[in-house]
Amino acid sequence: MPSHEQQTQADRLARLALNHAVEPADQHLGRLLEAHGPRRVLAAIRAGQLPDLDADPARRDRLADRCAGLRLRLEPGRVEAGLAAAEAVGARFVTPLDRDWPARLDDLGPQRPIGLWVAGNWCAETTARGDDAAHPQPLSIVGARACSGYGSHVAGLLGADLASAGACVVSGAAIGIDAAAHRGALAVGGSTIAVLACGIDRVYPRVHESLLRAIAQRGAVLSELPPGAAPTRFRFLHRNRLIAALGVGTVVVEAARRSGSLLTARLAGELGRAVMAVPGPVTSEQSVGAHELIRDGAILVATAAQVQEACANLADAPPTPARPSRARAADTSDEPPAVGRARTRARPGRAASAEPADPVEELVLEALFGAQTGTAKTSAGADVVALARATGLGPDAVFAALGRLAACGRVAKSGGGWVSVRGH
Amino acid sequence: MPSHEQQTQADRLARLALNHAVEPADQHLGRLLEAHGPRRVLAAIRAGQLPDLDADPARRDRLADRCAGLRLRLEPGRVEAGLAAAEAVGARFVTPLDRDWPARLDDLGPQRPIGLWVAGNWCAETTARGDDAAHPQPLSIVGARACSGYGSHVAGLLGADLASAGACVVSGAAIGIDAAAHRGALAVGGSTIAVLACGIDRVYPRVHESLLRAIAQRGAVLSELPPGAAPTRFRFLHRNRLIAALGVGTVVVEAARRSGSLLTARLAGELGRAVMAVPGPVTSEQSVGAHELIRDGAILVATAAQVQEACANLADAPPTPARPSRARAADTSDEPPAVGRARTRARPGRAASAEPADPVEELVLEALFGAQTGTAKTSAGADVVALARATGLGPDAVFAALGRLAACGRVAKSGGGWVSVRGH
């Protein structure tokens, strides 16, 4: 019988393999992981027997299809290549079994990441749950990419003042508010964490190469995606849940009406974190979202002291049983991956009229777009297996989604494969 | 026995006389008025028998003193002079007995004005309680005198948009936010009401002569003070309660930390009105008060539509028994006049350190200052009777306050009278 350490080691390796196959926030897989552990789930996928892990016969057909999709992604050599790419940028893989796993992410329940890739001074930064005064309290600052000078100024001030007060500024390393918040923290020699929506070995956005390097030197950079993974809208969406979960509170500094930052803030609220927003001129489009958030109950904050006060008040408040302690625990949908419909309202950068309601269709469209422009470019269009591999969905689910998308003219057959039709 | 109409006429005349003697918001007199009616209260003052109207022996001594002070103000010919001055500017006296009395002021309870001087299109404007769709809904807009260009812009926009939507904009005709709100309403041919803190025959501030004329032509100008009354800080404070009570809601557009507008907003809340504030840049001192107000529970509003939505929601909400329907009903203090201590925190234009805690002392200081600079200038200092006449307080109360103020070096004897000492 294997020792406890051997079991831990095997679990870690299983999570590493699954990390390369499963897309973020896949709560169906997450539930199977909770119930059976990573080794059994991985073995079941490899053996094509994932359906056997679910007692509900109604879900078996769909699971068989998912299983086929995930198997396509368990390519030999992929894990080794990922580890090598991570090592080249000084990153390592951390799992919930490790001492430096950020326990706050456990609040995500079945949407908890399978593992995290981390670079920089990870250990010292975020292992504490914030109730430990010796560690910096993580605070998330998010906001518009297309921010105003005012927004950039205030994000920089907040980042600097919070870092000076001993907090660790968590953000997404994006252009705009994110960058200003990181820079504010760095400028005062403070601690800051960047959460990426792509592989940790990629530099995105390109213009933030030196910023990301500085963050890794002074704080930490992390991602739940395997090395090499490209940033996609789907991944940006789910990256936001990590920012929301890592902070004891989330501050929105400038957000337009349908900004993705509002989604992060709402998710932080669902996770029981403090939700805060910085007001601005009512004549500024960039503050409309922040004002709406305050009208919906977020705490108006004008200073770093008010941010810390809001988080302290939250910590002092008695637990509220009415609020679900695990995010989306009430979501009983079995459709993987779990982009809830309630969340699609606030997707970044989308016009309301062009919004596809179905998350599977959107993943397929995104993969098709990647196939037509990315490194896996094919002149003949992408076939169903390639799309299943790209999305982590099952071939049947991909085929059904292609049929629905073709019916409304968004995709078409081309040379034995599929292409997206103008507008996407 | 006199007819009902004769009684009404006599009551109206009694209120007219009392209006010239009693300072605004005198809730002790207000309670006696509620219990005994204006004719009995007036007769009791004239006969020096005001204490007989109060059953509580503990209050009798103080009432005897008040009675002496009020008698000093019931000078012969004063009412006639007041009526003539009002007529000269097209104003008339309206009492709670009249059909065009604004019923919302009744919510002020014992602090309800004894009567109002009105000029302009009064009748059509504010007799309705807002539940009557045929009448414009009064909405109060208040804010800083020293406002920013942003604040002035937003106040003008709100005034115009609310007036365009059929609301009547209520404000205080002050420089800054008030003027911008009035002008916004006038610019779209809308309705607006200015509530003054001086006699209706006076133009204050002087630079608003043409603005006040325009308001009287298109809307209405009103004051609870008798014609000729000078604007004092005490009167500005209590003018604010009329602005709070007249509107179905109060919007604060820019307010510094200790702005008097915050007082108006808080009072509006106590009266069960909608309390709203417009956010601004957190880098602007002029928005600090508005942001604090929102943090304390005021509704953030960015547009006229949101203002109207907040007022509509308030109207739809079930009555909350916890909220006192009459302002300051819980205040059992018998000290006239009723400048509650809780309110002094937000007095406009005062540094915290120089704040006199006692409202009677403040009234005496204000009257002394007026005596030293105003038309009633005396080289010998003001005597106790003159101060009692100027304040409406009793001579004993004035004398006691002078003693306390002398003890801390704020007033001194000079040539048989009293003068205030440097700094006031």
Side-chain angles (χ1 to χ4, degrees):
Chain A
M1 195 176 165
S3 73
H4 175 71
E5 261 183 35
Q6 282 169 323
Q7 284 183 42
T8 303
Q9 184 64 15
D11 275 348
R12 201 178 277 125
L13 283 172
R15 283 187 175 269
L16 187 58
L18 288 169
N19 171 258
H20 284 79
V22 183
E23 283 290 320
D26 187 332
Q27 65 189 349
H28 198 108
L29 251 288
R31 285 202 197 95
L32 294 181
L33 271 177
E34 286 178 348
H36 305 286
R39 278 173 293 159
R40 243 188 109 187
V41 170
L42 179 63
I45 294 171
R46 286 205 165 116
Q49 289 164 350
L50 202 56
D52 296 349
L53 297 185
D54 198 321
D56 184 350
R59 285 193 289 249
R60 297 222 173 182
D61 271 3
R62 233 183 279 158
L63 263 187
D65 184 43
R66 285 302 312 288
C67 187
L70 291 170
R71 277 176 85 187
L72 287 169
R73 288 184 148 202
L74 292 175
E75 294 158 302
R78 196 165 167 181
V79 165
E80 290 72 16
L83 281 172
E87 207 189 316
V89 297
R92 62 197 169 84
F93 189 63
V94 175
T95 73
L97 301 163
D98 295 312
R99 223 180 50 81
D100 51 359
W101 176 255
R104 272 196 193 79
L105 293 185
D106 295 346
D107 293 345
L108 291 166
Q111 287 199 13
R112 180 176 77 163
I114 290 171
L116 284 180
W117 297 89
V118 298
N121 300 311
W122 175 251
C123 209
E125 299 305 341
T126 53
T127 52
R129 272 195 79 95
D131 26 28
D132 179 351
H135 290 275
Q137 191 179 49
L139 273 164
S140 301
I141 299 181
V142 298
R145 282 173 176 77
C147 68
S148 73
Y150 163 72
S152 174
H153 174 75
V154 173
L157 265 182
L158 272 187
D161 289 351
L162 286 170
S164 294
C168 171
V169 174
V170 179
S171 195
I175 288 164
I177 297 299
D178 287 15
H182 287 302
R183 286 198 185 104
L186 291 173
V188 296
S191 169
T192 184
I193 291 173
V195 186
L196 307 185
C198 59
I200 197 148
D201 56 332
R202 295 184 71 142
V203 174
Y204 186 89
R206 290 293 318 171
V207 291
H208 283 171
E209 185 165 6
S210 62
L211 176 63
L212 284 165
R213 200 163 43 229
I215 294 171
Q217 270 164 11
R218 202 83 62 75
V221 177
L222 68 88
S223 172
E224 69 177 310
L225 289 153
T232 64
R233 186 167 63 236
F234 177 85
R235 290 167 180 172
F236 275 114
L237 264 176
H238 289 300
R239 183 270 312 268
N240 290 347
R241 88 191 192 290
L242 301 191
I243 294 176
L246 280 172
V248 296
T250 291
V251 186
V252 175
V253 183
E254 283 201 333
R257 193 175 294 279
R258 300 172 62 78
S259 166
S261 315
L262 303 177
L263 176 79
T264 310
R266 236 174 279 138
L267 190 53
E270 287 177 39
L271 290 165
R273 313 293 196 253
V275 182
M276 299 157 278
V278 176
V282 296
T283 47
S284 163
E285 283 299 321
Q286 282 103 327
S287 284
V288 171
H291 293 158
E292 285 299 329
L293 206 59
I294 294 168
R295 284 169 56 81
D296 286 348
I299 299 164
L300 182 154
V301 289
T303 63
Q306 289 178 349
V307 171
Q308 296 198 297
E309 181 196 322
C311 295
N313 289 346
L314 194 77
D316 292 345
T320 49
R323 175 190 277 157
S325 67
R326 310 214 140 206
R328 322 211 62 73
D331 183 354
T332 54
S333 152
D334 283 316
E335 270 304 322
V339 183
R341 279 166 201 237
R343 297 207 211 162
T344 61
R345 266 191 65 208
R347 271 180 210 173
R350 295 298 301 263
S353 55
E355 198 89 22
D358 186 79
V360 174
E361 289 172 23
E362 188 170 6
L363 269 180
V364 170
L365 277 173
E366 209 158 61
L368 264 184
F369 187 67
Q372 280 164 244
T373 60
T375 47
K377 191 166 179 169
T378 57
S379 56
D383 67 16
V384 170
V385 170
L387 288 172
R389 190 184 290 119
T391 56
L393 296 167
D396 290 355
V398 169
F399 191 75
L402 286 169
R404 293 193 298 274
L405 288 164
C408 60
R410 309 221 29 200
V411 302
K413 280 227 166 197
S414 165
W418 293 85
V419 291
S420 73
V421 175
R422 107 204 102 74
H424 197 77
Chain B
M1 194 175 161
S3 73
H4 176 72
E5 260 182 38
Q6 282 169 321
Q7 284 183 43
T8 302
Q9 185 64 18
D11 275 347
R12 200 179 276 124
L13 283 171
R15 282 185 175 270
L16 188 57
L18 288 170
N19 171 258
H20 284 80
V22 182
E23 282 291 320
D26 186 332
Q27 65 189 351
H28 197 110
L29 249 289
R31 285 202 197 95
L32 294 181
L33 271 176
E34 285 178 349
H36 305 286
R39 279 173 291 159
R40 243 187 108 187
V41 170
L42 180 62
I45 293 171
R46 285 207 166 112
Q49 288 163 352
L50 202 54
D52 297 348
L53 297 186
D54 198 322
D56 183 351
R59 285 192 290 249
R60 296 225 173 181
D61 271 4
R62 233 184 278 157
L63 262 188
D65 184 46
R66 287 300 313 287
C67 186
L70 291 169
R71 277 178 85 186
L72 286 169
R73 288 183 147 200
L74 292 176
E75 296 157 302
R78 197 164 166 181
V79 166
E80 291 72 14
L83 280 173
E87 207 187 316
V89 295
R92 61 197 171 84
F93 190 63
V94 175
T95 73
L97 302 162
D98 296 313
R99 222 180 51 81
D100 51 0
W101 175 255
R104 273 196 193 78
L105 294 184
D106 295 346
D107 293 344
L108 291 166
Q111 287 199 14
R112 179 177 80 165
I114 290 171
L116 284 180
W117 298 87
V118 297
N121 301 312
W122 175 250
C123 211
E125 298 305 341
T126 53
T127 52
R129 272 196 77 96
D131 26 27
D132 179 352
H135 290 276
Q137 191 179 47
L139 272 165
S140 301
I141 299 180
V142 298
R145 283 175 174 76
C147 68
S148 74
Y150 163 71
S152 174
H153 174 76
V154 173
L157 265 182
L158 272 187
D161 289 351
L162 286 170
S164 294
C168 171
V169 174
V170 179
S171 195
I175 288 164
I177 296 298
D178 286 16
H182 287 302
R183 286 196 185 106
L186 291 173
V188 296
S191 168
T192 184
I193 292 173
V195 186
L196 306 185
C198 57
I200 198 150
D201 56 332
R202 294 184 71 142
V203 175
Y204 187 90
R206 289 292 320 170
V207 290
H208 283 171
E209 184 163 7
S210 63
L211 175 63
L212 284 165
R213 199 161 47 229
I215 294 171
Q217 269 164 12
R218 203 81 63 73
V221 177
L222 68 88
S223 171
E224 68 178 310
L225 288 152
T232 64
R233 186 166 65 234
F234 178 86
R235 288 166 180 171
F236 276 114
L237 265 177
H238 290 300
R239 182 271 310 269
N240 289 347
R241 87 190 192 289
L242 301 191
I243 294 177
L246 280 172
V248 295
T250 291
V251 185
V252 175
V253 182
E254 283 201 334
R257 193 175 294 279
R258 300 172 62 80
S259 165
S261 314
L262 302 178
L263 176 80
T264 310
R266 237 173 279 139
L267 190 53
E270 289 178 37
L271 289 165
R273 313 294 197 251
V275 182
M276 297 156 279
V278 176
V282 296
T283 45
S284 163
E285 283 300 320
Q286 282 102 329
S287 284
V288 171
H291 293 158
E292 286 299 329
L293 206 59
I294 294 167
R295 283 168 57 82
D296 287 347
I299 300 164
L300 183 155
V301 289
T303 63
Q306 290 179 347
V307 171
Q308 297 197 299
E309 182 197 322
C311 295
N313 288 347
L314 194 78
D316 291 345
T320 49
R323 175 190 274 156
S325 67
R326 308 214 141 207
R328 323 211 61 77
D331 182 354
T332 53
S333 152
D334 282 317
E335 270 304 323
V339 182
R341 283 173 196 230
R343 295 210 213 163
T344 59
R345 266 193 64 207
R347 271 180 209 172
R350 294 299 298 263
S353 56
E355 197 86 21
D358 187 81
V360 174
E361 288 171 25
E362 189 170 4
L363 269 179
V364 170
L365 277 174
E366 209 159 60
L368 263 184
F369 186 70
Q372 281 165 244
T373 61
T375 48
K377 189 166 181 167
T378 56
S379 56
D383 67 17
V384 170
V385 170
L387 289 172
R389 190 185 290 118
T391 57
L393 295 167
D396 289 353
V398 169
F399 192 74
L402 285 169
R404 292 192 300 273
L405 288 165
C408 60
R410 308 218 34 197
V411 303
K413 280 229 165 197
S414 164
W418 292 84
V419 292
S420 72
V421 174
R422 102 202 109 76
H424 198 82

PDB file of all heavy atoms in Angstrom, chain B residues 213-233:
ATOM      1  N   ARG B 213     -35.957  87.832  -9.171  1.00  0.00           N
ATOM      2  CA  ARG B 213     -37.090  88.403  -9.907  1.00  0.00           C
ATOM      3  C   ARG B 213     -37.618  87.368 -10.907  1.00  0.00           C
ATOM      4  O   ARG B 213     -38.822  87.154 -11.042  1.00  0.00           O
ATOM      5  CB  ARG B 213     -36.658  89.691 -10.615  1.00  0.00           C
ATOM      6  CG  ARG B 213     -37.823  90.569 -11.003  1.00  0.00           C
ATOM      7  CD  ARG B 213     -37.384  92.016 -11.268  1.00  0.00           C
ATOM      8  NE  ARG B 213     -36.204  92.052 -12.110  1.00  0.00           N
ATOM      9  CZ  ARG B 213     -35.111  92.781 -11.833  1.00  0.00           C
ATOM     10  NH1 ARG B 213     -35.065  93.555 -10.772  1.00  0.00           N
ATOM     11  NH2 ARG B 213     -34.075  92.753 -12.638  1.00  0.00           N
ATOM     12  N   ALA B 214     -36.698  86.702 -11.591  1.00  0.00           N
ATOM     13  CA  ALA B 214     -37.106  85.686 -12.573  1.00  0.00           C
ATOM     14  C   ALA B 214     -37.829  84.523 -11.889  1.00  0.00           C
ATOM     15  O   ALA B 214     -38.816  83.992 -12.402  1.00  0.00           O
ATOM     16  CB  ALA B 214     -35.881  85.181 -13.334  1.00  0.00           C
ATOM     17  N   ILE B 215     -37.331  84.129 -10.710  1.00  0.00           N
ATOM     18  CA  ILE B 215     -37.977  83.023  -9.985  1.00  0.00           C
ATOM     19  C   ILE B 215     -39.394  83.414  -9.586  1.00  0.00           C
ATOM     20  O   ILE B 215     -40.334  82.614  -9.727  1.00  0.00           O
ATOM     21  CB  ILE B 215     -37.140  82.633  -8.742  1.00  0.00           C
ATOM     22  CG1 ILE B 215     -35.783  82.046  -9.161  1.00  0.00           C
ATOM     23  CG2 ILE B 215     -37.895  81.635  -7.872  1.00  0.00           C
ATOM     24  CD1 ILE B 215     -34.800  81.832  -8.014  1.00  0.00           C
ATOM     25  N   ALA B 216     -39.556  84.653  -9.105  1.00  0.00           N
ATOM     26  CA  ALA B 216     -40.891  85.108  -8.690  1.00  0.00           C
ATOM     27  C   ALA B 216     -41.830  85.177  -9.885  1.00  0.00           C
ATOM     28  O   ALA B 216     -43.039  84.943  -9.766  1.00  0.00           O
ATOM     29  CB  ALA B 216     -40.794  86.464  -7.996  1.00  0.00           C
ATOM     30  N   GLN B 217     -41.289  85.499 -11.057  1.00  0.00           N
ATOM     31  CA  GLN B 217     -42.142  85.585 -12.249  1.00  0.00           C
ATOM     32  C   GLN B 217     -42.586  84.207 -12.723  1.00  0.00           C
ATOM     33  O   GLN B 217     -43.736  84.001 -13.098  1.00  0.00           O
ATOM     34  CB  GLN B 217     -41.372  86.273 -13.390  1.00  0.00           C
ATOM     35  CG  GLN B 217     -41.568  87.788 -13.407  1.00  0.00           C
ATOM     36  CD  GLN B 217     -40.516  88.484 -14.258  1.00  0.00           C
ATOM     37  OE1 GLN B 217     -39.786  87.830 -14.997  1.00  0.00           O
ATOM     38  NE2 GLN B 217     -40.449  89.797 -14.138  1.00  0.00           N
ATOM     39  N   ARG B 218     -41.682  83.256 -12.694  1.00  0.00           N
ATOM     40  CA  ARG B 218     -41.963  81.948 -13.275  1.00  0.00           C
ATOM     41  C   ARG B 218     -42.433  80.955 -12.209  1.00  0.00           C
ATOM     42  O   ARG B 218     -43.205  80.065 -12.485  1.00  0.00           O
ATOM     43  CB  ARG B 218     -40.692  81.404 -13.933  1.00  0.00           C
ATOM     44  CG  ARG B 218     -40.918  80.375 -14.996  1.00  0.00           C
ATOM     45  CD  ARG B 218     -41.294  81.025 -16.333  1.00  0.00           C
ATOM     46  NE  ARG B 218     -40.222  81.853 -16.819  1.00  0.00           N
ATOM     47  CZ  ARG B 218     -39.071  81.377 -17.344  1.00  0.00           C
ATOM     48  NH1 ARG B 218     -38.878  80.094 -17.454  1.00  0.00           N
ATOM     49  NH2 ARG B 218     -38.154  82.189 -17.774  1.00  0.00           N
ATOM     50  N   GLY B 219     -41.902  81.108 -11.000  1.00  0.00           N
ATOM     51  CA  GLY B 219     -42.252  80.193  -9.933  1.00  0.00           C
ATOM     52  C   GLY B 219     -42.686  80.980  -8.710  1.00  0.00           C
ATOM     53  O   GLY B 219     -43.615  81.770  -8.781  1.00  0.00           O
ATOM     54  N   ALA B 220     -42.022  80.783  -7.594  1.00  0.00           N
ATOM     55  CA  ALA B 220     -42.402  81.495  -6.380  1.00  0.00           C
ATOM     56  C   ALA B 220     -41.180  81.687  -5.485  1.00  0.00           C
ATOM     57  O   ALA B 220     -40.232  80.905  -5.522  1.00  0.00           O
ATOM     58  CB  ALA B 220     -43.481  80.717  -5.625  1.00  0.00           C
ATOM     59  N   VAL B 221     -41.246  82.776  -4.695  1.00  0.00           N
ATOM     60  CA  VAL B 221     -40.241  83.028  -3.663  1.00  0.00           C
ATOM     61  C   VAL B 221     -40.984  83.005  -2.340  1.00  0.00           C
ATOM     62  O   VAL B 221     -42.111  83.504  -2.248  1.00  0.00           O
ATOM     63  CB  VAL B 221     -39.551  84.394  -3.878  1.00  0.00           C
ATOM     64  CG1 VAL B 221     -38.567  84.689  -2.763  1.00  0.00           C
ATOM     65  CG2 VAL B 221     -38.855  84.429  -5.236  1.00  0.00           C
ATOM     66  N   LEU B 222     -40.406  82.390  -1.301  1.00  0.00           N
ATOM     67  CA  LEU B 222     -41.090  82.371  -0.019  1.00  0.00           C
ATOM     68  C   LEU B 222     -40.124  82.482   1.140  1.00  0.00           C
ATOM     69  O   LEU B 222     -38.927  82.205   1.017  1.00  0.00           O
ATOM     70  CB  LEU B 222     -41.972  81.127   0.111  1.00  0.00           C
ATOM     71  CG  LEU B 222     -41.328  79.764   0.220  1.00  0.00           C
ATOM     72  CD1 LEU B 222     -41.019  79.443   1.676  1.00  0.00           C
ATOM     73  CD2 LEU B 222     -42.285  78.714  -0.340  1.00  0.00           C
ATOM     74  N   SER B 223     -40.678  82.935   2.262  1.00  0.00           N
ATOM     75  CA  SER B 223     -39.904  83.045   3.492  1.00  0.00           C
ATOM     76  C   SER B 223     -40.851  82.960   4.670  1.00  0.00           C
ATOM     77  O   SER B 223     -41.991  83.406   4.600  1.00  0.00           O
ATOM     78  CB  SER B 223     -39.159  84.382   3.527  1.00  0.00           C
ATOM     79  OG  SER B 223     -38.576  84.559   4.809  1.00  0.00           O
ATOM     80  N   GLU B 224     -40.358  82.371   5.769  1.00  0.00           N
ATOM     81  CA  GLU B 224     -41.197  82.365   6.966  1.00  0.00           C
ATOM     82  C   GLU B 224     -40.886  83.575   7.850  1.00  0.00           C
ATOM     83  O   GLU B 224     -41.567  83.797   8.849  1.00  0.00           O
ATOM     84  CB  GLU B 224     -40.980  81.085   7.771  1.00  0.00           C
ATOM     85  CG  GLU B 224     -39.613  80.977   8.411  1.00  0.00           C
ATOM     86  CD  GLU B 224     -39.436  79.723   9.249  1.00  0.00           C
ATOM     87  OE1 GLU B 224     -40.291  79.426  10.093  1.00  0.00           O
ATOM     88  OE2 GLU B 224     -38.423  79.028   9.032  1.00  0.00           O
ATOM     89  N   LEU B 225     -39.854  84.334   7.467  1.00  0.00           N
ATOM     90  CA  LEU B 225     -39.452  85.477   8.291  1.00  0.00           C
ATOM     91  C   LEU B 225     -40.271  86.709   7.929  1.00  0.00           C
ATOM     92  O   LEU B 225     -40.672  86.873   6.777  1.00  0.00           O
ATOM     93  CB  LEU B 225     -37.964  85.743   8.089  1.00  0.00           C
ATOM     94  CG  LEU B 225     -37.097  84.671   8.742  1.00  0.00           C
ATOM     95  CD1 LEU B 225     -35.780  84.511   8.029  1.00  0.00           C
ATOM     96  CD2 LEU B 225     -36.919  84.982  10.222  1.00  0.00           C
ATOM     97  N   PRO B 226     -40.517  87.573   8.889  1.00  0.00           N
ATOM     98  CA  PRO B 226     -41.311  88.770   8.582  1.00  0.00           C
ATOM     99  C   PRO B 226     -40.535  89.709   7.671  1.00  0.00           C
ATOM    100  O   PRO B 226     -39.300  89.682   7.668  1.00  0.00           O
ATOM    101  CB  PRO B 226     -41.546  89.395   9.959  1.00  0.00           C
ATOM    102  CG  PRO B 226     -40.443  88.886  10.813  1.00  0.00           C
ATOM    103  CD  PRO B 226     -40.117  87.518  10.299  1.00  0.00           C
ATOM    104  N   PRO B 227     -41.214  90.514   6.898  1.00  0.00           N
ATOM    105  CA  PRO B 227     -40.530  91.472   6.025  1.00  0.00           C
ATOM    106  C   PRO B 227     -39.523  92.288   6.813  1.00  0.00           C
ATOM    107  O   PRO B 227     -39.749  92.624   7.970  1.00  0.00           O
ATOM    108  CB  PRO B 227     -41.678  92.347   5.500  1.00  0.00           C
ATOM    109  CG  PRO B 227     -42.859  91.429   5.502  1.00  0.00           C
ATOM    110  CD  PRO B 227     -42.673  90.573   6.726  1.00  0.00           C
ATOM    111  N   GLY B 228     -38.393  92.566   6.196  1.00  0.00           N
ATOM    112  CA  GLY B 228     -37.342  93.353   6.839  1.00  0.00           C
ATOM    113  C   GLY B 228     -36.321  92.513   7.585  1.00  0.00           C
ATOM    114  O   GLY B 228     -35.226  92.998   7.886  1.00  0.00           O
ATOM    115  N   ALA B 229     -36.655  91.254   7.891  1.00  0.00           N
ATOM    116  CA  ALA B 229     -35.754  90.421   8.694  1.00  0.00           C
ATOM    117  C   ALA B 229     -34.423  90.216   7.963  1.00  0.00           C
ATOM    118  O   ALA B 229     -34.392  89.938   6.763  1.00  0.00           O
ATOM    119  CB  ALA B 229     -36.402  89.069   8.992  1.00  0.00           C
ATOM    120  N   ALA B 230     -33.336  90.355   8.721  1.00  0.00           N
ATOM    121  CA  ALA B 230     -32.005  90.167   8.142  1.00  0.00           C
ATOM    122  C   ALA B 230     -31.644  88.688   8.114  1.00  0.00           C
ATOM    123  O   ALA B 230     -32.095  87.921   8.962  1.00  0.00           O
ATOM    124  CB  ALA B 230     -30.971  90.929   8.968  1.00  0.00           C
ATOM    125  N   PRO B 231     -30.827  88.268   7.133  1.00  0.00           N
ATOM    126  CA  PRO B 231     -30.375  86.875   7.128  1.00  0.00           C
ATOM    127  C   PRO B 231     -29.297  86.675   8.198  1.00  0.00           C
ATOM    128  O   PRO B 231     -28.337  87.435   8.243  1.00  0.00           O
ATOM    129  CB  PRO B 231     -29.787  86.701   5.731  1.00  0.00           C
ATOM    130  CG  PRO B 231     -29.388  88.065   5.294  1.00  0.00           C
ATOM    131  CD  PRO B 231     -30.293  89.040   6.003  1.00  0.00           C
ATOM    132  N   THR B 232     -29.490  85.700   9.049  1.00  0.00           N
ATOM    133  CA  THR B 232     -28.465  85.363  10.060  1.00  0.00           C
ATOM    134  C   THR B 232     -28.165  83.883   9.930  1.00  0.00           C
ATOM    135  O   THR B 232     -28.937  83.140   9.311  1.00  0.00           O
ATOM    136  CB  THR B 232     -28.976  85.631  11.486  1.00  0.00           C
ATOM    137  OG1 THR B 232     -30.081  84.753  11.752  1.00  0.00           O
ATOM    138  CG2 THR B 232     -29.404  87.081  11.655  1.00  0.00           C
ATOM    139  N   ARG B 233     -27.070  83.427  10.538  1.00  0.00           N
ATOM    140  CA  ARG B 233     -26.723  82.015  10.424  1.00  0.00           C
ATOM    141  C   ARG B 233     -27.848  81.141  10.993  1.00  0.00           C
ATOM    142  O   ARG B 233     -28.220  80.119  10.439  1.00  0.00           O
ATOM    143  CB  ARG B 233     -25.418  81.710  11.141  1.00  0.00           C
ATOM    144  CG  ARG B 233     -24.997  80.271  10.895  1.00  0.00           C
ATOM    145  CD  ARG B 233     -23.565  80.023  11.288  1.00  0.00           C
ATOM    146  NE  ARG B 233     -23.407  80.200  12.710  1.00  0.00           N
ATOM    147  CZ  ARG B 233     -22.508  81.004  13.256  1.00  0.00           C
ATOM    148  NH1 ARG B 233     -21.709  81.709  12.487  1.00  0.00           N
ATOM    149  NH2 ARG B 233     -22.415  81.117  14.551  1.00  0.00           N
TER     150      ARG B 233
END
